[in-house]
Amino acid sequence: MMTLVDSKGKHLSKDETCYANEYTTSQPSSAPTSPSLSPRQQHTNVYIHGLPPSTTDEALYHMCSAYGQIISSKSIIEPKTNLCRGYGFVMYEHLHQAQHAIYCLGLVGYEASFAKVRSDLPKQANLYVSNLPTEYSEQQLESLFVKYNVFSVRILRDVNNNSKGAGFVRYSTHFPL
C-alpha cells in the first residue's frame, strides 16, 4: 500500500487516509463547459494548491493515484530553482474520481478544486521582435507581419531617435494563425 502525506509533509496512517471509491457525488447539472477542452477535460481536471517544494511530477502522480485512474498529472516547477511552485494539476478518467480526489485532498490540508477554464484571454496580444536591422522603419516591420491582422507596430528608439534593433507588433486577436 502507498504512503500518503498531508500538505505539511506528515505521513498519514490508514485511519487518516481517504480511500478510493468511498466518496462519490453526482455531476452538477450546470457544469461549465468550454469549446477548447474536451468534455472529459472540462470535468476531470483537478487543480491542487499547497504542494511542498519537493513535489515532482512522479510524486504528484503517486499521491493522487489513490483516488482514481489518472490520465495526466503535472506539478508546476520553477525553472530557476527546479522546485515545485506549490501547485499542480491532475486529470482523472472519470468525474467521480476527480470529485473524490478534491474531497480527500481537502481532508488532508490541500486546496483542491476543478481547474478553471480561462475565458478572459486578452483581446490583443503583443509580440516582441528583436535583432531588427537598425535602419528598419515601422512600415517595414509591419510589412513582415501584414498577413496576421496587425493592430499596430512600434520600434524602440533611444533619446536620439535611433533604433535599438527591437520593437513590438500588436495583434488585434490573441494569436495569429
Side-chain angles (χ1 to χ4, degrees):
M1 183 172 143
M2 181 180 71
T3 303
L4 296 178
V5 294
D6 68 10
S7 62
K8 294 183 175 80
K10 176 187 165 213
H11 288 271
L12 303 174
S13 70
K14 182 177 179 181
D15 295 333
E16 295 172 304
T17 306
C18 185
Y19 293 99
N21 300 321
E22 288 181 354
Y23 176 80
T24 60
T25 63
S26 61
Q27 181 175 356
S29 60
S30 61
T33 61
S34 168
S36 62
L37 296 177
S38 73
R40 174 182 293 157
Q41 292 170 322
Q42 292 171 14
H43 302 296
T44 65
N45 196 15
V46 175
Y47 166 78
I48 304 162
H49 184 265
L51 298 172
S54 61
T55 304
T56 62
D57 290 343
E58 183 178 292
L60 180 62
Y61 179 91
H62 288 299
M63 179 180 81
C64 294
S65 64
Y67 311 123
Q69 185 177 352
I70 295 175
I71 295 171
S72 65
S73 64
K74 180 69 179 152
S75 63
I76 306 304
I77 304 297
E78 171 61 48
K80 291 178 184 174
T81 62
N82 209 29
L83 296 173
C84 180
R85 289 184 174 176
Y87 66 97
F89 298 88
V90 177
M91 186 175 297
Y92 287 92
E93 179 70 28
H94 300 287
L95 173 65
H96 72 275
Q97 294 169 338
Q99 290 170 325
H100 178 66
I102 290 169
Y103 174 78
C104 293
L105 289 166
L107 290 178
V108 294
Y110 294 103
E111 293 176 39
S113 63
F114 286 107
K116 293 178 175 65
V117 178
R118 228 181 130 189
S119 62
D120 61 341
L121 293 175
K123 302 290 186 243
Q124 297 178 340
N126 279 326
L127 173 68
Y128 175 77
V129 182
S130 61
N131 296 322
L132 291 172
T134 55
E135 65 275 0
Y136 253 47
S137 68
E138 276 79 3
Q139 293 80 15
Q140 289 171 306
L141 177 58
E142 184 174 8
S143 71
L144 295 174
F145 298 92
V146 71
K147 69 179 183 175
Y148 296 114
N149 201 14
V150 173
F151 181 74
S152 66
V153 296
R154 179 174 169 236
I155 292 181
L156 300 177
R157 300 188 180 278
D158 65 17
V159 293
N160 296 320
N161 204 30
N162 295 320
S163 171
K164 292 184 177 182
F168 290 95
V169 178
R170 177 175 283 179
Y171 295 98
S172 59
T173 56
H174 184 58
F175 288 110
L177 299 175

